Amino acid sequence: GQQVMQIPQYQHVQEGEDFTTYCNSSTTLSNIQWYKQRPGGHPVFLIQLVKSGEVKKQKRLTFQFGEAKKNSSLHITATQTTDVGTYFCAGKGAQKLVFGQGTRLTINP
Amino acid sequence: EPEVTQTPSHQVTQMGQEVILRCVPISNHLYFYWYRQILGQKVEFLVSFYNNEISEKSEIFDDQFSVERPDGSNFTLKIRSTKLEDSAMYFCASKRWTSGDGTDTQYFGPGTRLTVL
C-alpha cells in the first residue's frame, strides 16, 4: 500500500535558525497536505499542494511539491518559539490521507 | 468559525467493553473521517464516510469497528470489544467536498483520548 516517509523524526534548533522537513511517497500523489500539531493538540491544516513543482509561501513557511509529485518539503525561515510542534505531511490517495511519521520541532529560545 | 467537535474528550474503559466516540462535523460538510493516533506516533487513517456509507477503510478498521451517522449531525465510531492496543487518540475530521483538481481540506476535531485498561 501507499507509504509516506518523513525525515527527520526530530529537529532541535536555536530560535532564529531555519528548519526543513522532507516527505517522500512510495506512489505518485494527487496532492499533498501539511499539518501542524501542537503538543496535546490536534492536527491543524496548513496548506495543500496540487501541481507538479508547485511552491507556496505562508509568511516564513515555504512549501514545495516535487516535479514527480512524490516528494515535498516544508521550510521555515528564522524559527520562532511559536513554531514548536510536530509537522506532518499527508499524501492523498483516492479518499484517504496517508500521514508521514511527522517531524517534531523543538526550539531553544 | 465553524469547527468539528468531539465527545467525550477522554474515555476510560475496561478491556472487552464497547465504546462509542461521538463527533459533530461541520454542518455543510459531506465527507467524514476517523483517524487514530497512538501516543507519540503518526496519525493513521481508519475510515471515510460519504453519502451514508463507508467509502474507504484501512486494515485497522476490522469487524470490531463500525461507524454511523444516526441523525444527520452526529458521526459516531463504535468499538465493540475494546483491546488494550485500542488505546489512542481518536480524531474525527470532515471535509466539504472533493473538487475536480483534488483540492480539499480536512478539518480535524480536538480528539477523544481512549484509554483501555
Side-chain angles (χ1 to χ4, degrees):
Chain A
Q2 181 187 359
Q3 293 187 3
V4 175
M5 306 298 292
Q6 197 174 345
I7 57 169
Q9 191 174 357
Y10 302 98
Q11 183 81 58
H12 181 77
V13 300
Q14 288 290 128
E15 188 175 14
E17 291 182 339
D18 293 356
F19 160 76
T20 306
T21 173
Y22 301 91
C23 186
N24 284 286
S25 170
S26 59
T27 58
T28 302
L29 302 168
S30 59
N31 68 57
I32 193 155
Q33 301 177 22
W34 285 91
Y35 290 80
K36 177 182 178 182
Q37 186 176 28
R38 292 184 183 275
H42 61 277
V44 175
F45 176 83
L46 292 177
I47 209 160
Q48 177 175 264
L49 303 170
V50 178
K51 298 174 185 171
S52 169
E54 190 170 13
V55 178
K56 286 189 177 179
K57 293 194 175 188
Q58 287 180 352
K59 297 182 181 177
R60 294 177 294 103
L61 278 61
T62 302
F63 303 84
Q64 292 189 330
F65 200 12
E67 293 290 339
K69 299 183 73 172
K70 293 178 75 172
N71 55 52
S72 181
S73 65
L74 157 60
H75 179 82
I76 302 178
T77 304
T79 53
Q80 299 174 359
T81 53
T82 52
D83 296 327
V84 162
T86 300
Y87 292 84
F88 291 97
C89 63
K92 178 121 183 321
Q95 285 285 340
K96 65 181 184 182
L97 285 178
V98 178
F99 280 76
Q101 299 94 321
T103 296
R104 184 177 171 189
L105 174 63
T106 53
I107 298 175
N108 235 11
Chain B
E1 185 176 317
E3 54 186 26
V4 177
T5 59
Q6 288 184 244
T7 53
S9 57
H10 192 186
Q11 174 90 50
V12 181
T13 190
Q14 294 290 326
M15 189 170 58
Q17 294 296 305
E18 174 183 287
V19 294
I20 297 176
L21 310 183
R22 292 185 166 77
C23 168
V24 179
I26 295 172
S27 62
N28 62 350
H29 284 194
L30 302 177
Y31 295 82
F32 313 111
Y33 305 84
W34 282 102
Y35 294 86
R36 80 170 185 192
Q37 186 178 32
I38 295 169
L39 187 63
Q41 298 187 22
K42 67 177 181 179
V43 177
E44 298 176 290
F45 168 81
L46 292 178
V47 66
S48 60
F49 192 87
Y50 170 71
N51 201 25
N52 286 318
E53 60 183 23
I54 290 173
S55 47
E56 191 169 0
K57 59 183 180 179
S58 72
E59 57 277 4
I60 301 168
F61 194 88
D62 62 22
D63 292 345
Q64 293 300 312
F65 290 86
S66 63
V67 289
E68 237 184 6
R69 189 158 158 79
D71 56 13
S73 63
N74 290 286
F75 180 50
T76 61
L77 174 69
K78 182 193 289 186
I79 309 175
R80 272 183 255 290
S81 177
T82 49
K83 306 192 251 315
L84 295 175
E85 54 265 37
D86 293 328
S87 293
M89 183 74 89
Y90 288 81
F91 292 108
C92 172
S94 71
K95 181 180 78 174
R96 190 171 174 194
W97 60 42
T98 296
S99 62
D101 63 359
T103 55
D104 51 24
T105 301
Q106 293 187 23
Y107 294 87
F108 282 71
T112 293
R113 180 170 297 285
L114 176 64
T115 303
V116 182
L117 302 175

